[in-house]
Amino acid sequence: MAPGITDLPPSPSPPAVKSTATKTVPLASTSSNGHAGGEPGAEDTHNLNLDNLNNNSNNGESTAATTTTSQEDETPPSTFRYTTTKNLRDAQRRVEHDFRSDTVTVPTEDMMQAIIDASFQDDLYDESGDECVNRLQDRLAEMTGKEAALWVLSGTMGNQICLRTHLVQPPHTVLLDYRAHVHCWETGALPVMSQASVTQVHPSNGVHLTVDDVKRHIIPEGSIYFPPTRVVSLENTLSGTILPLKDAREISDFVRSFPVPEGERPIAMHLDGARLFDAVVAEGVDLKEYCACFDSISICLAKGLGAPMGSVIVGSKKFIQRAKYFRKMFGGGTRQPGMMAAAALAALEHTIPRLPQVHALTRQTAASIRALGYTIALPVQTNMIVLDLAKDGIPAAAFVEYGKRHGVTLFPSGRLVFHHQNSPAAVEKLVAALRELMEDKKAGKTLVDHEVSGVMCNDIPYLIINALAGE
């Protein structure tokens, strides 16, 4: 386990609830729109105390309740039955067999409990913000060694806020890997939000950018034809491969010392660290040491970490204060975000210690798949296997179809992503599906080859899919 990861600062205990009254509220059954509930008695139940819970309703109808009122100046606590829903259990079983992305994970019971016990302040109206959001931000700032942090709704929002905060006045250019998420998978936000052009760089080593790649493509001030490089944006991991600390440090040292006109800001270093925890755990490096190479970092909470949603950006206090304006401008002001922040705090505790197991399972599966005759396009270093289906003559539709026959869910791109909720039994089904597919291909059987719709589909030219496998 990487230094700086295992010793997470302890989370403060929630304040005790003063017992002055009791309100018993049976939890309503699950509605057709999938809201929490479940059939009473279907699963284990727990008694929970919540402060300031007054009225509960389901589709506008009040649930049965027995209330004992205390003094007017005291807010009675409430007790209700929380059922571990059938929907959640079903979802947990479903995602065991889902290898499309690590974003498909669902909350653990600890995360659901954290949501119940969360704080409920308004992150805009309340001057001090929300307690759980503040705790999450402080936790990530401390872990990364940065001065401040800011919770945002998504990884795309986090990246684009960071870039917009760095980019003051066009003309300007962002230098990045040609497969970068901020360029390829964020719906063209960079030119829209920041009026920036990009310099796309193909790594000379075929895996990740190096300082020599950056030196060859950085654009200095002075040419009226080419907008100067104002941000170098890197990504770790990218398609499951690691940008090593050595290379990140060399690029950072070069970029931060690159000459700029007097009075101009130095070129900024941004990291799309959506799966940064996967990277530092796998490489065995110190998180703070890695983050010191960058001026801003966006860390996704919903990918490898498995939280329901959200990202956190980290940087200097001045940077984060400015970023708050863009978060509001981009529609990121929220009301009761404490529930999602509380789930993310629980995810940090639950998932980070399990990442080495996820990576080991990925490597073992890669070895089994390679033995079947499949071509693996990139090094398997963390939680992804990128297959070159085109080279192996495997149609995308057949890849998906054979997975479905064996009860596993796959993207047609050939990218396999592992997460903390995949089970060994699901991996056995995956390998069995790919074995049958390869055997049928070698036997000359006709494989289905129709158009596949949806995300990561073959509507996009196949080589582009492989290039953009970082989503």
Side-chain angles (χ1 to χ4, degrees):
M1 184 69 71
I5 294 293
T6 53
D7 299 327
L8 297 177
S11 300
S13 300
V17 177
K18 181 168 60 175
S19 299
T20 56
T22 301
K23 181 175 182 179
T24 304
V25 184
L27 192 66
S29 300
T30 306
S31 63
S32 60
N33 61 11
H35 288 160
E39 294 298 325
E43 303 285 352
D44 295 336
T45 60
H46 312 278
N47 288 326
L48 302 177
N49 291 324
L50 290 186
D51 200 16
N52 300 326
L53 181 65
N54 296 318
N55 297 316
N56 281 272
S57 62
N58 185 36
N59 296 328
E61 298 180 5
S62 299
T63 54
T66 303
T67 306
T68 304
T69 307
S70 66
Q71 300 294 330
E72 289 184 1
D73 60 345
E74 295 180 343
T75 302
S78 304
T79 301
F80 70 92
R81 294 178 67 80
Y82 166 69
T83 303
T84 304
T85 66
K86 179 179 183 297
N87 285 352
L88 180 61
R89 293 293 179 89
D90 288 346
Q92 289 170 342
R93 284 189 286 268
R94 183 186 72 247
V95 301
E96 283 182 22
H97 302 83
D98 198 328
F99 294 91
R100 291 174 298 171
S101 176
D102 44 7
T103 61
V104 302
T105 57
V106 297
T108 63
E109 291 184 16
D110 285 345
M111 292 181 207
M112 295 300 294
Q113 183 66 52
I115 291 171
I116 293 293
D117 293 333
S119 51
F120 297 93
Q121 283 89 31
D122 189 300
D123 204 38
L124 293 178
Y125 287 167
D126 296 336
E127 186 175 348
S128 61
D130 179 89
E131 179 187 349
C132 282
V133 172
N134 291 341
R135 284 169 50 202
L136 176 63
Q137 292 172 166
D138 291 346
R139 179 75 65 87
L140 266 298
E142 192 281 331
M143 292 177 73
T144 59
K146 296 299 184 184
E147 292 179 349
L150 184 66
W151 184 83
V152 298
L153 293 172
S154 69
T156 293
M157 179 176 283
N159 281 324
Q160 295 303 323
I161 287 173
C162 287
L163 294 169
R164 181 63 188 87
T165 304
H166 287 306
L167 295 166
V168 179
Q169 175 65 51
H172 42 217
T173 296
V174 178
L175 188 153
L176 41 72
D177 190 299
Y178 77 107
R179 304 162 294 175
H181 195 283
V182 300
H183 172 56
C184 298
W185 286 98
E186 298 185 3
T187 325
L190 187 51
V192 173
M193 303 296 191
S194 299
Q195 298 178 286
S197 59
V198 298
T199 302
Q200 303 177 60
V201 182
H202 289 249
S204 55
N205 60 21
V207 180
H208 62 77
L209 294 183
T210 65
V211 67
D212 289 335
D213 294 324
V214 175
K215 287 178 179 179
R216 281 194 295 268
H217 293 89
I218 198 165
I219 303 174
E221 299 270 356
S223 172
I224 199 166
Y225 296 103
F226 305 105
T229 301
R230 301 304 306 148
V231 177
V232 171
S233 180
L234 304 179
E235 188 169 337
N236 197 18
T237 64
L238 200 164
S239 297
T241 63
I242 296 169
L243 174 65
L245 173 59
K246 172 182 177 293
D247 293 278
R249 185 184 290 122
E250 288 176 352
I251 294 172
S252 179
D253 290 344
F254 169 74
V255 169
R256 286 172 166 173
S257 62
F258 194 80
V260 297
E262 185 177 354
E264 186 67 74
R265 296 182 182 186
I267 299 173
M269 288 286 297
H270 172 66
L271 177 67
D272 177 356
R275 296 180 174 93
L276 179 58
F277 284 97
D278 279 288
V280 296
V281 166
E283 190 183 2
V285 298
D286 183 78
L287 179 61
K288 291 180 181 178
E289 190 176 356
Y290 198 95
C291 292
C293 300
F294 299 91
D295 302 300
S296 62
I297 304 164
S298 176
I299 299 172
C300 185
L301 303 167
K303 287 190 174 177
L305 296 179
M309 63 174 288
S311 286
V312 171
I313 62 178
V314 295
S316 67
K317 288 181 180 178
K318 182 179 179 181
F319 179 87
I320 294 299
Q321 187 59 41
R322 180 67 176 166
K324 289 180 180 179
Y325 286 99
F326 293 114
R327 182 181 67 172
K328 184 67 174 72
M329 186 186 299
F330 292 176
T334 51
R335 297 308 171 188
Q336 285 79 42
M339 292 177 281
M340 293 300 97
L345 283 164
L348 288 172
E349 303 285 353
H350 175 86
T351 311
I352 291 175
R354 290 169 169 77
L355 292 179
Q357 301 169 28
V358 175
H359 300 165
L361 185 61
T362 308
R363 291 191 299 271
Q364 293 166 10
T365 308
S368 298
I369 293 173
R370 189 180 285 110
L372 296 176
Y374 286 89
T375 301
I376 297 178
L378 291 169
V380 178
Q381 298 176 335
T382 55
N383 68 323
M384 293 191 196
I385 304 170
V386 180
L387 301 177
D388 192 338
L389 296 182
K391 185 174 182 179
D392 294 334
I394 304 285
F399 184 71
V400 174
E401 174 62 27
Y402 276 72
K404 188 179 298 184
R405 290 182 193 177
H406 288 261
V408 294
T409 306
L410 308 175
F411 265 146
S413 66
R415 188 193 71 169
L416 303 170
V417 184
F418 292 70
H419 51 78
H420 71 97
Q421 289 178 324
N422 288 133
S423 66
V427 171
E428 291 179 5
K429 293 179 182 179
L430 170 64
V431 174
L434 297 185
R435 178 183 296 109
E436 182 183 357
L437 174 57
M438 183 59 76
E439 288 175 350
D440 285 354
K441 178 192 174 295
K442 290 179 177 179
K445 291 187 178 181
T446 301
L447 303 177
V448 293
D449 191 14
H450 56 77
E451 182 176 322
V452 183
S453 61
V455 179
M456 302 276 289
C457 67
N458 62 355
D459 295 334
I460 308 171
Y462 188 83
L463 290 178
I464 296 179
I465 290 179
N466 259 353
L468 306 185
E471 166 59 23

